[in-house]
């Protein structure tokens, strides 16, 4: 009897020791894995919209040098993915393993929040509601402005052909649509029917809707299609000042739409890959003075007011409106204007 009890006790102790050893081994492996993330090579994937590719191509090495100076044992590699903002958001929602997203409209981040990939309160984690720089929608015309395009109203004339991004797939295109509609509301004293008719004329002058802002730029500048490219201010400046100086001119409308570029850590991915801390640092550094100066270099309007004022010759003061102030939150905007059967679809059907 005593012998049986003794054997059972020994077996129990052996089992406990085995579990304890297993737990310590697993804990050590987990620590090693996290240590690799801190002291080895760390890869981040930034999923962004297409027009931002040039900015992030230069931002990444600036951030890496800054981070390396503070963490000499860590090598950071930042990979980029660019396309139409909403298509990019859907790719992340469907499994693309982005550590961070850097989009051009809040709704594209909110999609990921609703999917549970980004935690609530993401806008409070960073300055300026997580918008490091802003922009607006302008017109790019060919040298000499042969059709004398001055304002949104000129885009509705019969002899004008436009190139814009598709509002169903691109934030760039949505800002264009909402910019035209907001102008139409002001032009017609808030009359929605007349504003819709005005936007319908603009859409009628657009033979093809490109998948994203950069594709629209290529069509206009390289394929020589269209009289006017309606796009973000930074893209228009990049084309007219860098890619093809002297060939194009920027026209600033009298009243246009302001655009945000919100950023967020994709929490579920970053936590799984043990990159949450570095991902947060990657986004936080967007508010540093070097990054804000780089934003101005690529013609994004810096959120840092002091940096913005130093570049006023590039960023004229404009009368603008925010989409959420005029049309409601982005959920309401998407449902009313861009969902299947929304205003965009109804206006297109009439053309």
């Amino acid at each position: 009897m005593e012998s049986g009890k003794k054997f059972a006790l020994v077996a129990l102790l052996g089992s406990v020791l085995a579990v304890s050893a297993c737990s310590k081994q697993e804990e050590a492996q987990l620590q090693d894995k996290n240590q690799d993330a801190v002291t080895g090579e760390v890869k981040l994937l930034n999923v962004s919209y297409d027009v931002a590719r040039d900015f992030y191509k230069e931002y990444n090495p600036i951030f890496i040098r800054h981070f390396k100076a503070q963490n000499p044992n860590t090598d950071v590699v930042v990979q980029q993915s660019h396309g139409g903002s909403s298509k990019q958001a859907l790719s992340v929602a469907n499994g693309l393993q982005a550590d961070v997203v850097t989009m051009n409209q809040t709704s594209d981040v909110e999609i990921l929040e609703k999917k549970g990939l980004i935690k609530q309160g993401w806008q409070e984690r960073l300055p300026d509601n997580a918008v490091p720089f802003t922009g607006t929608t302008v017109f790019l015309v060919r040298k000499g402005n042969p059709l004398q395009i001055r304002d949104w109203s000129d885009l509705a004339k019969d002899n004008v052909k436009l190139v814009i991004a598709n509002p169903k797939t691109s934030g760039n295109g949505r800002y264009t649509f909402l910019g035209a509609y907001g102008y139409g509301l002001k032009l017609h004293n808030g009359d929605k029917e007349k504003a819709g008719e005005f936007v319908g004329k603009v859409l009628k002058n657009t033979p093809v809707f490109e998948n994203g802002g950069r594709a629209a730029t290529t069509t206009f500048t390289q394929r020589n299609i269209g009289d006017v490219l309606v796009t973000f201010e930074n893209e228009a400046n990049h084309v007219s000042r860098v890619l093809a100086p002297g060939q194009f001119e920027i026209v600033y409308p009298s009243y246009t739409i302001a655009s945000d570029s919100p950023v967020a850590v994709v929490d579920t991915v970053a936590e799984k890959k043990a990159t949450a801390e570095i991902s947060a640092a990657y986004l936080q550094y967007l508010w540093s003075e070097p990054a804000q100066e780089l934003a101005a270099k690529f013609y994004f309007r810096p959120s840092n007011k002091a940096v913005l004022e130093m570049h006023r010759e590039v960023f004229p003061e404009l009368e603008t409106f925010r989409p959420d102030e005029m049309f409601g939150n982005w959920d309401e905007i998407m449902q009313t204007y861009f969902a299947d059967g929304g205003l965009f679809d109804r206006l297109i059907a009439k053309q």
Side-chain angles (χ1 to χ4, degrees):
M1 194 76 172
E2 285 296 319
S3 176
K5 288 181 179 180
K6 187 174 182 180
F7 177 79
L9 179 60
V10 170
L12 178 61
L13 288 171
S15 175
V16 169
L17 288 171
V19 171
S20 175
C22 180
S23 297
K24 288 180 179 179
Q25 183 179 11
E26 290 176 347
E27 183 178 352
Q29 289 174 344
L30 181 60
Q31 288 177 344
D32 288 343
K33 182 179 179 181
N34 290 336
Q35 187 69 15
D36 287 342
V38 175
T39 63
E41 181 180 85
V42 180
K43 291 183 179 180
L44 301 182
L45 175 58
N46 173 14
V47 173
S48 188
Y49 62 107
D50 51 4
V51 170
R53 74 177 72 236
D54 300 307
F55 168 80
Y56 284 105
K57 186 177 180 180
E58 288 204 21
Y59 171 74
N60 292 338
I62 292 175
F63 166 75
I64 290 169
R65 287 195 297 271
H66 164 76
F67 190 84
K68 184 76 171 177
Q70 298 178 325
N71 303 271
N73 296 323
T74 305
D75 295 319
V76 180
V77 177
V78 183
Q79 299 170 318
Q80 297 179 217
S81 172
H82 294 274
S85 183
S86 295
K87 290 182 70 176
Q88 292 289 82
L90 289 175
S91 294
V92 176
N94 290 329
L96 182 60
Q97 296 293 285
D99 299 271
V100 299
V101 289
T102 56
M103 299 302 192
N104 65 15
Q105 66 179 67
T106 303
S107 65
D108 291 330
V109 183
E110 291 174 342
I111 287 172
L112 305 179
E113 181 184 7
K114 290 174 184 176
K115 290 276 291 187
L117 301 176
I118 293 176
K119 295 177 182 177
Q120 292 182 349
W122 59 272
Q123 288 177 295
E124 283 72 51
R125 291 189 234 167
L126 292 164
D128 301 304
N129 289 319
V131 176
F133 38 75
T134 63
T136 188
T137 295
V138 301
F139 312 147
L140 190 68
V141 299
R142 303 190 188 280
K143 183 178 180 180
N145 194 2
L147 296 184
Q148 295 301 297
I149 303 298
R150 300 300 179 200
D151 215 336
W152 289 98
S153 56
D154 296 318
L155 305 189
K157 294 178 178 178
D158 292 337
N159 64 329
V160 177
K161 296 300 178 187
L162 310 177
V163 178
I164 69 174
N166 191 340
K168 299 284 281 189
T169 60
S170 165
N172 192 317
R174 289 190 192 121
Y175 280 110
T176 294
F177 179 92
L178 295 173
Y181 191 65
Y183 177 87
L185 287 172
K186 183 178 181 182
L187 182 67
H188 296 290
N189 298 313
D191 189 316
K192 293 182 179 180
E193 184 174 350
K194 289 183 178 180
E197 292 174 357
F198 168 74
V199 177
K201 293 178 181 178
V202 172
L203 297 177
K204 185 178 180 179
N205 287 344
T206 309
V208 179
F209 297 97
E210 295 293 349
N211 287 331
R214 183 52 57 87
T217 296
T218 299
T219 294
F220 182 72
T221 61
Q222 297 183 21
R223 298 172 61 196
N224 292 316
I225 293 175
D227 305 300
V228 185
L229 172 67
V230 187
T231 190
F232 289 136
E233 177 183 32
N234 68 293
E235 181 78 343
N237 271 291
H238 185 60
V239 171
S240 64
R241 295 172 182 265
V242 180
L243 295 183
Q247 297 182 37
F248 302 96
E249 299 176 11
I250 298 176
V251 175
Y252 286 91
S254 63
Y255 181 68
T256 192
I257 190 167
S259 56
D260 291 339
S261 297
V263 301
V265 175
V266 183
D267 295 297
T268 57
V269 175
E271 289 170 3
K272 180 178 69 175
K273 293 170 61 179
T275 61
E277 184 177 346
I278 297 178
S279 296
Y282 177 80
L283 296 184
Q284 183 69 51
Y285 197 66
L286 287 168
W287 277 265
S288 69
E289 188 169 338
Q292 292 284 292
E293 283 287 352
L294 185 66
K297 174 185 173 181
F298 281 96
Y299 310 108
F300 294 100
R301 294 186 176 229
S303 290
N304 183 315
K305 298 296 188 294
V307 176
L308 176 64
E309 289 302 323
M310 287 191 292
H311 297 276
R312 272 299 177 194
E313 74 283 358
V314 177
F315 303 114
E317 293 190 17
L318 300 170
E319 184 180 2
T320 62
F321 65 91
R322 296 179 59 84
D324 55 344
E325 293 171 346
M326 183 170 288
F327 305 115
N329 62 45
W330 272 104
D331 275 345
E332 294 168 334
I333 291 171
M334 295 300 292
Q335 187 62 37
T336 302
Y337 300 101
F338 306 114
D340 290 344
L343 182 60
F344 174 75
D345 284 351
R346 296 198 302 274
L347 292 175
I348 285 292
K350 293 179 180 179
Q351 306 311 315

